[in-house]
Amino acid sequence: MESVIFDGLQLMFADIWFVFIGVVVGMIVGATPGLSASNSTAMLLPFILVLPPEKGIIFILGLHCGSQMGNSFPAILLNIPGTPSSAVTTLEGYPLAKQGKASMALGVCVLASAFGALLGGIVSLTLTPFLAEFALRFSPVEITIIILFGIVIIAQISTGAIYKGILSGFFGLLVSTTGADPMWGQYRGTFGSVYLIDGVPIVPSLVGLLAFSELLLQIEEKDTVKESLREKVTLKGILEGFTEVIKRPAEVIRSSVIGIIIGIIPGAGGSVAAPVAYQQSMTFSSREEKEKFGKGSINGLIAADASNNGMVGGSLVPLLTLGIPGCSTGAVLLVALTYHGLVMGPELFSLNGEMVYAVLWSQFLAAFFIALTGVFLAYLAVRVVNVKMSILIPIISVLTYIGAFAQNELVFDMGVMVVMGVLGYFMKKYNYVPLAFLLGLVLGTQFEANLFRGLRMGLGSPIRFFISPVAIVLWMLLILTIVYPFIQKPLTAFIRRSFGRR
């Protein structure tokens, strides 16, 4: 067994350049609104299939890790998240950029992403067989409860406007029911349009709500230059962000572990991992730190990026051991593996152990290249904030239309982006929460599908959601998450009195 592990390490070093190229391409993909690791790897699939299996898979993995980091560039500098998983990054990254701390914010994201990838690599390399068995315990019942963690954030992210945040979130859940029913296939809210049969498209909605709406606000303010965003580009600022991450090891570990666990669960992915990690960070932060959330919290920024990259390592577990992709990019990996005639499941380790461990080892190199390349790209990317808004607005406008069109190549999606942009404009103007609406829209479809599957497993009775040991533990954690902010202050006072008496 040990010889296979070290043979995999040697094989990985022979393909080191494929890791580096994958990370760089991934960062570029992540920084382009509308593109993601999944649709990019799908477009590159003909090229990937020509390569030997270990080289192609290592390249895809590097691209996946790099794209999770690259998403942070437009999210922080322009308030434009590339994917739903990076939407949470905008919540803390953009306020920091407006405070003249864009370099520091990018430094935080680079190192948090690197640590997330590193911890994901350690877990997937050492605990893959055990974690695969653990993932099998998660039925639609448990997945439904985990998605609730993501929905709980709707109330907590709405600092100063909690009721408007809840209303925005539930409106997103309502809109997510558009399209074919996940169980019976009946059409709802399509108004006879074939373009809505699969539901409201997510990427155009994301670009519209958070990017196009911001452009409309900038045009209304008539600011030719965002003075608050200007700063001198220095390596010192980026390294300052590194220091902030190093000061918070508990935050990095907790967020990475959350990302790893959710990555192991098939079908969850980054759109669930980042909100859950962010919500947990808010719950367990000090009272002083909680007041910074939504205004430029380092803890919140670390939670979003560490969980995103931790999720990549976790998603390899069900793919390599069970043949079940943990996310959409994992599905492309599965296609590449089966194309080369590899037997998926536990036999993969016995028949092609060297290749499997080469892939697992490559995560450590990907983490290193994220830190190294991320610093260089951040140093260049942060110069965007020094460009006049009169120049940026037309360029970003074109990018928003391209981003909306890119995924499905439909003009209809561009119309959805404009509608969502106008909606996001009014939501921001009247202190509603576009991000809460987006989370409801993204998580609603998964929540509904798993809820109905769980009910069918219980023959229509909801008791099925409360009898399995895993479900009971998850319910307890969810209740603790909701209750803890209200009992934190008296609990802290009680502990202090108790220690004081001693």
Side-chain angles (χ1 to χ4, degrees), residues 390-406:
S390 58
I391 298 174
L392 276 180
I393 286 176
I395 296 173
I396 298 172
S397 298
V398 173
L399 289 176
T400 58
Y401 280 98
I402 293 174
F405 181 80

Side-chain angles (χ1 to χ4, degrees), residues 26 114 163 212 230 248 345 379 422 501:
Y163 298 111
F212 196 73
R230 288 196 166 189
R248 297 168 169 84
Y379 184 78
V422 174
R501 289 176 184 175

Side-chain angles (χ1 to χ4, degrees), residues 218-258:
Q218 296 296 335
I219 293 170
E220 183 184 38
E221 292 174 6
K222 298 179 181 179
D223 286 340
T224 56
V225 182
K226 267 286 184 184
E227 295 293 342
S228 60
L229 283 174
R230 288 196 166 189
E231 65 162 310
K232 185 179 180 181
V233 181
T234 62
L235 183 61
K236 181 180 178 182
I238 298 172
L239 294 179
E240 183 183 347
F242 279 25
T243 304
E244 293 293 336
V245 175
I246 294 170
K247 289 179 181 177
R248 297 168 169 84
E251 192 69 42
V252 174
I253 294 172
R254 182 178 66 245
S255 301
S256 299
V257 169
I258 289 173

Side-chain angles (χ1 to χ4, degrees), residues 151-365:
I151 296 178
V152 163
I153 192 180
I154 291 172
Q156 296 203 13
I157 65 175
S158 310
T159 305
I162 186 167
Y163 298 111
K164 290 184 176 181
I166 293 173
L167 182 61
S168 301
F170 279 102
F171 182 49
L173 288 174
L174 177 64
V175 175
S176 73
T177 61
T178 302
D181 181 285
M183 291 302 299
W184 314 110
Q186 296 179 344
Y187 298 149
R188 309 165 301 180
T190 60
F191 301 98
S193 173
V194 295
Y195 299 110
L196 293 174
I197 289 177
D198 291 329
V200 177
I202 298 298
V203 171
S205 300
L206 180 150
V207 174
L209 281 167
L210 300 180
F212 196 73
S213 62
E214 187 68 24
L215 288 179
L216 295 177
L217 288 172
Q218 296 296 335
I219 293 170
E220 183 184 38
E221 292 174 6
K222 298 179 181 179
D223 286 340
T224 56
V225 182
K226 267 286 184 184
E227 295 293 342
S228 60
L229 283 174
R230 288 196 166 189
E231 65 162 310
K232 185 179 180 181
V233 181
T234 62
L235 183 61
K236 181 180 178 182
I238 298 172
L239 294 179
E240 183 183 347
F242 279 25
T243 304
E244 293 293 336
V245 175
I246 294 170
K247 289 179 181 177
R248 297 168 169 84
E251 192 69 42
V252 174
I253 294 172
R254 182 178 66 245
S255 301
S256 299
V257 169
I258 289 173
I260 291 166
I261 292 173
I262 291 179
I264 292 170
I265 303 167
S271 59
V272 178
V276 170
Y278 181 84
Q279 186 269 342
Q280 290 296 301
S281 175
M282 181 184 291
T283 299
F284 293 102
S285 291
S286 64
R287 185 177 180 183
E288 294 76 13
E289 186 64 33
K290 282 182 182 178
E291 295 177 357
K292 298 178 183 178
F293 276 81
K295 304 173 185 176
S297 168
I298 302 296
N299 283 3
L301 200 57
I302 291 173
D305 282 80
S307 61
N308 277 337
N309 273 274
M311 181 272 300
V312 175
S315 66
L316 288 176
V317 175
L319 174 68
L320 296 176
T321 58
L322 305 173
I324 302 172
C327 59
S328 52
T329 308
V332 181
L333 273 169
L334 181 62
V335 172
L337 287 166
T338 53
Y339 175 83
H340 289 286
L342 300 174
V343 179
M344 302 306 297
E347 293 182 3
L348 185 65
F349 281 81
S350 58
L351 299 177
N352 303 96
E354 293 181 8
M355 187 208 68
V356 173
Y357 281 104
V359 172
L360 294 175
W361 278 114
S362 69
Q363 295 175 89
F364 297 94
L365 264 183

Side-chain angles (χ1 to χ4, degrees), residues 57-111:
I57 295 165
I58 285 174
F59 172 79
I60 294 175
L61 185 62
L63 189 150
H64 196 185
C65 292
S67 68
Q68 297 298 326
M69 169 62 242
N71 289 333
S72 300
F73 292 139
I76 291 172
L77 300 176
L78 303 172
N79 201 27
I80 302 176
T83 60
S85 62
S86 64
V88 178
T89 303
T90 64
L91 202 63
E92 306 299 341
Y94 189 63
L96 283 170
K98 292 197 331 188
Q99 296 168 23
K101 300 178 180 178
S103 293
M104 186 192 74
L106 286 172
V108 169
C109 289
V110 168
L111 195 60

